[in-house]
Amino acid sequence: MFPTVREVLDLGPLRRGAPRVLAGESALGRRVRWVHVAEVPDIAALLDGGELVLTTGIGLPADEAGLRAFVDDLADVGASGLVVELGRRFADSVPRAMVAAAGRRGLPLVELRRATPFVPITEAVHALIVDAQLTELRATEEIHQRFTELSVEGAEPAEVVRQAADLAGCPVVLENPARQVLAFDPAGEDPGSLLDGWERHSRRIRPAGRTGYDPDAGWLATIVGARGQDWGRLLLRWPGADAPPSRLTILLERAASTLALGRLIRRDAEGLERQIHRNLLTALLDHARPVDEVALRARALGVVLDRRQLIGVMVRHRPDPAGEPGAEAAQARLHDLAEAVGRAIRDARLTGLASVVDEQAVGALLALRPDQADDQALAAFAAALDRVRLAGAGWPGDGPGAVPGGPARRPDQPGRPEPRRVVVAAGSTVPTLREARRSLVEARQVADAARRGRRDLPVFRLSQVGLPGLLHLLRDEPRVQTFVERELGALLAHDAEHPREHLVDTLRAYLEHGRNKSAAAAAAHLSRPAFYERLTRIGRILDADLDSVPVCLSLHVALLALDAIHDDA
């Protein structure tokens, strides 16, 4: 940055001249691009603007009108100031006509009351200017190096914005075309005051061209996009009275290029908004950010979480009877599900965050208005998700038998609905964002339990997963595992030594058919005498009375717990 007139006046060679500001004191912050010594009245024609003019006045006009014209010409070309040495032309003071003209035009006018050689002044000022230019070059080199590294590393938008704010020392905001904040860094300022009413404030920032500075708003802005597709705007708040230095323009454009390049080369096809949703949801689940910061960032994105009833939701695919897809196919399927969940939230006229939260589930945090009932909101979301699934190409259940708003129809059995291929699970409704993690974790547990069950509900809550779901949630509890071993250990050991007998399956058939031996034998494809003989052996191995209801209840719970423990999904 070039030195200001005020900084130049503080230099030793000028201080020795006993400088005194006569006019234009409010403009001492002007930048001095060069120093020019002039003793002719028409010097303005040789200037480009930003020059500090030094003169003894010996060549200036003798009349007041000529002196006023000289000052006006300097102001017209944008000179940063005029310094007049007393003693040769003006003995005691600068003429009042020049002072009045400079005051009227806001041009800094300084008199040197002692004789001062101009050469030391020009040397000192030019040394400052050259140092500033070298500093600017070094800063520009650091900008290019920093953002080249970020491009190579595939840095996330939030990191690019953070680095830009760090280099600039000013707040930086990345927004989408709807004026919603995708990422920001306040550079040490209060984030709330920076983002409060952002959309309204952003629409008043109207710089000229793709990159420009709006002096009224005090923001430097550039468009973010590539290949003719603009998808955002990057803004930097400049607190100075003058236009920001070229270094900051270079910085902002380089950061925008890094953001655009990152979006082009990012293999994951999820939209930038969805990435921000994911960052916020995982921050809640992992305690990675303060809750107030999550609320602020969500509000800047257009999702209000304050003073709302919040419900955590998890959506997972059910196990595929034909086998689980490969890693790439599973990732693509999960991405499609995330987009479907986001669209379903919009179609149901709800607001919330939605994104992939792990390798198996899509999470959502629904924010309900005070007049919205949670059951109705969840039902609307589930119905909208069904419609999105059935309308989407490649979703299971597509085809002429599909019925919007419900599960698909079996092609071979038109009257019988096919179970939903996804499980929608919801946690408890909580009143504050600080409790949202509990709702999200509960929804994840309910989804894990429900996806292996046989029930087909639009939305599962904790009260609907039943005993199998409860045991699934407790499958890692050592006491549950010890209970299974105590109840079934001997029978499991026997089956391990005699794999063809399948006594555990025999016991399961017996218990699942309500201890009806004839029905269980038919389901096991065994004759009744053979089935009865197996039950006798099971009772002997377990030392258990299989005609006792309490004993059979305990064994049935142990079998359900065993299934939950063996569930590796």
Side-chain angles (χ1 to χ4, degrees):
M1 296 173 66
F2 295 117
T4 65
V5 176
R6 181 177 289 105
E7 291 169 341
V8 170
L9 295 180
D10 284 337
L11 294 174
L14 270 156
R15 285 204 307 270
R16 284 192 287 272
R20 183 172 65 176
V21 179
L22 303 177
E25 188 171 1
S26 62
L28 292 180
R30 288 184 181 178
R31 300 291 171 180
V32 177
R33 188 179 58 82
W34 203 246
V35 176
H36 202 93
V37 179
E39 299 295 354
V40 293
D42 57 349
I43 189 62
L46 304 177
L47 304 181
D48 294 325
E51 294 90 353
L52 181 65
V53 177
L54 306 180
T55 184
T56 62
I58 58 175
L60 297 185
D63 59 304
E64 292 186 355
L67 293 176
R68 286 194 293 268
F70 174 75
V71 172
D72 286 337
D73 289 344
L74 292 181
D76 288 341
V77 298
S80 59
L82 173 63
V83 177
V84 180
E85 182 191 67
L86 301 181
R88 299 192 183 186
R89 167 71 186 279
F90 308 118
D92 300 321
S93 62
V94 175
R96 293 181 179 179
M98 292 182 67
V99 176
R104 175 171 47 83
R105 298 300 302 270
L107 178 71
L109 175 60
V110 181
E111 67 176 15
L112 299 179
R113 289 167 289 173
R114 298 175 188 162
T116 306
F118 284 170
V119 171
I121 295 175
T122 58
E123 286 179 343
V125 176
H126 291 165
L128 272 183
I129 292 172
V130 171
D131 286 344
Q133 290 174 332
L134 286 175
T135 301
E136 194 86 352
L137 286 174
R138 294 191 186 102
T140 301
E141 181 181 358
E142 182 181 0
I143 289 169
H144 286 294
Q145 181 178 354
R146 186 86 63 95
F147 287 108
T148 297
E149 292 174 356
L150 292 173
S151 297
V152 172
E153 294 169 358
E156 293 291 329
E159 177 63 15
V160 176
V161 170
R162 189 188 72 79
Q163 294 282 358
D166 179 61
L167 288 170
C170 304
V172 176
V173 176
L174 173 64
E175 65 176 14
N176 63 14
R179 303 300 200 273
Q180 295 173 332
V181 177
L182 303 177
F184 75 96
D185 191 297
E189 298 187 14
D190 177 33
S193 61
L194 176 69
L195 298 180
D196 186 36
W198 174 260
E199 180 181 348
R200 182 179 64 259
H201 178 66
S202 172
R203 296 188 185 280
R204 293 198 294 264
I205 303 173
R206 299 175 181 175
R210 288 184 64 85
T211 301
Y213 176 65
D214 185 340
D216 295 330
W219 284 85
L220 177 67
T222 189
I223 301 298
V224 182
R227 296 179 179 175
Q229 296 183 349
D230 298 333
W231 53 266
R233 191 167 66 156
L234 191 62
L235 303 101
L236 181 151
R237 187 166 72 185
W238 173 244
D242 299 331
S246 59
R247 170 179 59 88
L248 293 186
T249 300
I250 294 172
L251 183 152
L252 202 65
E253 290 181 336
R254 191 68 175 85
S257 298
T258 302
L259 290 167
L261 179 61
R263 180 150 174 161
L264 286 175
I265 66 176
R266 191 171 291 114
R267 292 182 179 179
D268 189 352
E270 67 179 345
L272 186 55
E273 290 84 353
R274 193 68 57 225
Q275 293 180 43
I276 307 302
H277 282 218
R278 179 171 187 170
N279 291 340
L280 296 178
L281 285 174
T282 53
L284 288 173
L285 287 167
D286 301 337
H287 296 297
R289 296 180 185 273
V291 171
D292 292 342
E293 182 179 344
V294 172
L296 178 63
R297 289 177 179 269
R299 190 187 317 124
L301 196 61
V303 180
V304 178
L305 301 178
D306 297 325
R307 295 184 293 277
R308 295 288 192 273
Q309 295 290 314
L310 305 174
I311 307 175
V313 175
M314 291 288 167
V315 184
R316 291 192 59 174
H317 288 97
R318 289 186 182 274
D320 192 339
E324 296 300 318
E328 291 188 7
Q331 184 180 9
R333 186 175 70 162
L334 198 60
H335 162 72
D336 290 341
L337 183 58
E339 292 300 320
V341 169
R343 181 179 168 187
I345 292 175
R346 294 190 299 271
D347 289 357
R349 297 185 178 182
L350 301 171
T351 60
L353 303 173
S355 179
V356 174
V357 292
D358 55 38
E359 296 180 354
Q360 299 171 329
V362 173
L365 183 63
L366 303 182
L368 307 186
R369 300 187 305 273
D371 60 336
Q372 289 180 299
D374 55 355
D375 288 340
Q376 294 177 356
L378 288 171
F381 166 73
L385 183 60
D386 276 335
R387 290 193 296 270
V388 172
R389 286 181 59 239
L390 295 174
W395 284 87
D398 294 344
V403 178
R409 301 290 174 181
R410 296 180 183 273
D412 56 338
Q413 303 177 47
R416 185 178 179 184
E418 180 179 308
R420 291 173 175 84
R421 296 294 180 87
V422 296
V423 168
V424 179
S428 301
T429 304
V430 296
T432 67
L433 187 57
R434 297 188 183 280
E435 300 176 76
R437 181 182 184 276
R438 172 168 62 86
S439 184
L440 288 166
V441 171
E442 182 179 307
R444 174 181 279 166
Q445 294 172 341
V446 172
D448 290 347
R451 70 188 295 265
R452 289 291 182 179
R454 298 179 180 179
R455 301 182 71 185
D456 184 23
L457 299 174
V459 181
F460 286 87
R461 306 296 290 268
L462 186 59
S463 60
Q464 296 165 327
V465 296
L467 180 60
L470 175 63
L471 293 172
H472 183 90
L473 300 182
L474 299 175
R475 66 188 184 278
D476 295 326
E477 170 61 48
R479 286 174 291 185
V480 172
Q481 297 169 0
T482 301
F483 168 73
V484 171
E485 187 62 26
R486 184 176 66 246
E487 294 292 314
L488 299 175
L491 193 62
L492 292 170
H494 180 88
D495 266 6
E497 293 179 6
H498 307 86
R500 293 186 177 181
E501 294 191 11
H502 303 294
L503 294 186
V504 172
D505 291 340
T506 301
L507 177 61
R508 187 190 307 277
Y510 174 64
L511 296 175
E512 287 182 350
H513 286 81
R515 298 186 301 118
N516 186 321
K517 297 178 182 178
S518 298
H525 305 290
L526 293 172
S527 65
R528 280 186 289 181
F531 189 80
Y532 297 163
E533 190 274 331
R534 286 194 179 194
L535 287 180
T536 300
R537 271 191 292 155
I538 291 171
R540 186 168 58 251
I541 293 170
L542 295 177
D543 190 21
D545 180 6
L546 297 185
D547 291 326
S548 168
V549 173
V551 169
C552 288
L553 176 60
S554 182
L555 290 173
H556 199 178
V557 172
L559 282 173
L560 293 174
L562 178 67
D563 293 341
I565 293 170
H566 288 171
D567 184 3
D568 58 359

